[in-house]
Amino acid sequence: MSGNPLGYEKIPKLLKDYALPSITATLVGSLYNIVDQIFIGQGVGYLGNAATNVAYPFSTICLAISLLIGIGSASRFSLYLGKKEEGAAAKAAGNGIVLMAIAGLIYLAIGESLLDQLLVLFGSTKDVFPFAQQYARVTLAGMPFLIITNGMSNLIRADGSPRYSMACMVLGAVANTILDPIFIFLFHWGIFGAALATVLGQILSFFFAIRYLWRFQTIRFEKNSFRPSIRESLETCSMGISSSANQIAITLVQIILYHSLTYYGAQSAYGPDIPLAACGIVMKTNAIILAIVVGISQGSQPIIGFNYGAKQYSRVREAYLHAIKWNMIVSAIGFLLLQCFPQQIISLFGAGDTLYLEFAVLFMRIYLFMVLVNGVQLLSSSFFTAIGKAVKGAFLALTRQVFFLIPLILALPLRFGLMGVLSAGPIADFMAFLLSVVLARIELNRQKSLSQKEGPQTQAPACPK
């Protein structure tokens, strides 16, 4: 007897084998901006840090595009494999790769042509603008490579090679980490050197990811697999919309948050630049925790998608609940570190005056107070996407950012000023958590009922000999 291990291997082992490389890959991906932030903070100062924060929405938009196509392609790929439709799986993957390339080039053209206007839109102040312009103009050149690499990593993972997927990201991050201090401190290229190191690392990861086109294990590509199809593209985007919508919402939140911080900061003792610089440090610190949660989510996606396609609902529920358990453990550790050692964490990103440190510590403790539960919404959104319920996944992805956080950021400061901006984060996190629990519970109960009705066919097959 033969079969895909996703259908019969024990869920804890599968989740470990798929999630750990995925966690490593997403962590490494988040380190691109964090390493830049640390070296720029040490070599340029807090205005340089503020500049990378202002340019950061370019990266989140880039990630949104790669998730839209990458998660969408990988979700369809896994569902087709679960149904034993290898030809359709190859078409979903091939069309997705072509779509990644087209989207990357369009994004580069738009970003470069509207760079100055977008930086102002993203919240740049007069003093920060020259640094942000220099940094963003270079890093935009690497965005097409990053979109393809991130998108391909989802397909590689779904094909059963999570370690190769991890290696794609690790190579680029290692190169970036080595080149950053050389370009900034040895060559004295400042913020330009940090941006160049980032792009060179992304190009290295891109070439390693493309090599996998000739190594797919579960499918065989043909010429027509890479023929662009509007229908295929729309179906792919519909499957990836929940993950992408969450990133787009994060970008929108970033823009509104930056403007709110500079506006209300100017009315306080901190001024407009200190809140902007501190915000980036807090967000990128939180990005480490979120990278782990995203890694767990991406690692569970092929398991959930395959078994749902195979109607093995008990395994789908088990994979989701194990992912939630891992998330809670990671989030608990993160909560303790953020609340107990904020000053030590912030000091990694360079020195500042007393007001800067005071506000950064306050920002970290208040805004990330509900970090313990904010990953449940992300995992639940990904869960609905993996089982083909893209609309529900997209709705859940938008709840925290659009329906809760943005209104709170706009409303609370009217009464509480700068502290109202900071308090919006934990309140939105808790509200999104409650909604996620309700929707996930309904779906899990539905699948439990299906398992009982379907009987033995929903059980996993025995391990092949």
Side-chain angles (χ1 to χ4, degrees):
M1 181 180 180
S2 62
N4 194 313
L6 291 171
Y8 62 77
E9 187 63 80
K10 291 182 178 179
I11 294 295
K13 182 179 185 304
L14 280 175
L15 197 56
K16 181 188 71 173
D17 291 345
Y18 276 76
L20 287 179
S22 181
I23 289 169
T24 303
T26 52
L27 267 176
V28 166
S30 71
L31 286 176
Y32 272 119
N33 285 293
I34 293 173
V35 168
D36 281 349
Q37 190 98 37
I38 291 173
F39 284 119
I40 289 170
Q42 300 289 343
V44 180
Y46 78 87
L47 286 179
N49 272 336
T52 63
N53 302 336
V54 170
Y56 195 53
F58 284 116
S59 296
T60 54
I61 294 171
C62 176
L63 181 57
I65 296 171
S66 65
L67 287 174
L68 176 71
I69 305 170
I71 292 291
S73 300
S75 296
R76 296 181 67 224
F77 182 84
S78 296
L79 286 169
Y80 282 131
L81 287 182
K83 297 175 183 178
K84 303 187 184 303
E85 298 178 17
E86 287 79 7
K91 182 64 178 175
N95 185 81
I97 294 167
V98 172
L99 195 58
M100 292 170 205
I102 295 172
L105 294 174
I106 293 174
Y107 181 53
L108 172 61
I110 294 174
E112 291 287 359
S113 61
L114 299 176
L115 179 61
D116 292 356
Q117 296 92 322
L118 289 171
L119 288 175
V120 173
L121 176 65
F122 294 163
S124 178
T125 63
K126 181 180 179 181
D127 291 336
V128 170
F129 185 84
F131 295 100
Q133 184 187 51
Q134 188 177 24
Y135 184 79
R137 192 171 298 281
V138 178
T139 53
L140 271 169
M143 297 300 174
F145 301 104
L146 186 59
I147 288 173
I148 295 174
T149 302
N150 283 342
M152 278 287 297
S153 70
N154 289 287
L155 287 169
I156 293 169
R157 192 180 308 109
D159 187 55
S161 301
R163 292 183 179 178
Y164 194 101
S165 174
M166 172 190 71
C168 291
M169 301 304 296
V170 169
L171 280 175
V174 170
N176 181 43
T177 305
I178 293 172
L179 293 175
D180 254 334
I182 294 174
F183 290 170
I184 294 174
F185 300 112
L186 185 60
F187 293 171
H188 303 290
W189 288 348
I191 203 164
F192 167 79
L196 181 60
T198 297
V199 172
L200 292 176
Q202 290 166 349
I203 293 174
L204 180 61
S205 292
F206 162 79
F207 280 114
F208 194 71
I210 288 298
R211 285 181 69 242
Y212 196 82
L213 287 175
W214 293 269
R215 297 172 175 236
F216 270 84
Q217 304 173 55
T218 56
I219 59 171
R220 174 181 293 180
F221 285 119
E222 298 179 358
K223 287 185 178 180
N224 65 356
S225 300
F226 298 98
R227 185 175 300 156
S229 165
I230 295 177
R231 182 183 63 82
E232 289 280 345
S233 299
L234 290 175
E235 289 181 7
T236 291
C237 291
S238 71
M239 291 292 285
I241 191 63
S242 66
S243 298
S244 179
N246 190 50
Q247 282 300 315
I248 293 172
I250 288 173
T251 304
L252 184 59
V253 167
Q254 285 173 342
I255 295 170
I256 294 173
L257 184 59
Y258 291 168
H259 281 284
S260 297
L261 287 170
T262 54
Y263 178 79
Y264 290 103
Q267 301 175 20
S268 72
Y270 301 111
D273 292 328
I274 285 178
L276 187 60
C279 177
I281 292 174
V282 171
M283 292 303 179
K284 289 175 184 177
T285 301
N286 186 41
I288 297 175
I289 299 173
L290 288 179
I292 298 175
V293 176
V294 169
I296 295 171
S297 171
Q298 292 181 349
S300 64
Q301 181 269 327
I303 306 169
I304 291 172
F306 182 94
N307 285 285
Y308 191 83
K311 297 184 178 181
Q312 297 180 175
Y313 302 118
S314 61
R315 289 174 62 79
V316 173
R317 298 197 312 275
E318 185 182 356
Y320 170 74
L321 293 175
H322 266 82
I324 291 292
K325 181 180 74 174
W326 279 31
N327 162 67
M328 296 299 287
I329 293 171
V330 170
S331 298
I333 295 171
F335 174 82
L336 292 175
L337 291 174
L338 294 171
Q339 294 300 317
C340 297
F341 306 104
Q343 188 169 336
Q344 290 84 344
I345 294 171
I346 291 164
S347 65
L348 293 173
F349 296 87
D353 59 26
T354 303
L355 280 178
Y356 169 74
L357 184 60
E358 174 187 300
F359 183 79
V361 169
L362 187 66
F363 197 152
M364 183 169 287
R365 281 182 167 155
I366 295 177
Y367 196 81
L368 301 183
F369 186 75
M370 292 304 297
V371 71
L372 182 65
V373 298
N374 69 5
V376 173
Q377 177 247 356
L378 192 152
L379 284 167
S380 299
S381 171
S382 176
F383 166 70
F384 282 109
T385 298
I387 63 175
K389 300 190 175 183
V391 174
K392 188 171 288 187
F395 167 75
L396 198 53
L398 292 173
T399 53
R400 192 261 181 186
Q401 313 291 351
V402 175
F403 303 142
F404 299 146
L405 185 54
I406 290 177
L408 288 168
I409 290 176
L410 296 175
L412 290 180
L414 297 176
R415 177 71 183 274
F416 302 105
L418 196 56
M419 292 305 103
V421 180
L422 307 190
S423 301
I427 296 173
D429 287 338
F430 187 68
M431 294 169 68
F433 163 72
L434 291 179
L435 181 61
S436 299
V437 169
V438 172
L439 293 181
R441 186 183 182 93
I442 293 172
E443 176 61 29
L444 293 177
N445 286 338
R446 186 190 73 85
Q447 291 188 19
K448 185 176 181 181
S449 176
L450 284 174
S451 294
Q452 293 170 347
K453 290 179 181 179
E454 297 280 353
Q457 69 178 10
T458 64
Q459 303 301 313
C463 178
K465 301 297 182 184

